[in-house]
Amino acid sequence: DNISGLRSLMAAAQDGSLSAAARRLNITQPAVSQQIAALEQLYGVELVVRGRNGVRLTEAGQNDEVREDLKS
């Protein structure tokens, strides 16, 4: 659901990594990744950039309007 995905997105952004977000949320790293990917697919926009050094929000992921849409 959108709320779980939003929680995963925010945790990943705050922690800078999917693994750290997973630990914080007490779920697996693949679950965090899948939840974020589902949001990206649903809204047709990339929300995070995944890299060797972790993740960071894209401009769309930082957009307050996008995050508000995700909450609904």
Side-chain angles (χ1 to χ4, degrees), residues 3-41:
I3 297 300
S4 296
L6 184 58
R7 283 188 190 120
S8 289
L9 177 65
M10 294 297 97
Q14 290 170 351
D15 295 340
S17 103
L18 298 177
S19 296
R23 284 191 298 275
R24 182 202 305 202
L25 298 170
N26 201 31
I27 60 176
T28 65
Q29 180 273 325
V32 171
S33 183
Q34 289 169 2
Q35 288 174 349
I36 293 171
L39 287 178
E40 292 174 326
Q41 185 172 12

Side-chain angles (χ1 to χ4, degrees), residues 44-64:
V45 63
E46 186 178 38
L47 298 171
V48 297
V49 175
R50 297 156 176 87
R52 292 178 55 97
N53 296 321
V55 297
R56 64 178 174 79
L57 291 176
T58 63
E59 188 173 324
Q62 295 175 34
N63 187 306
D64 289 334

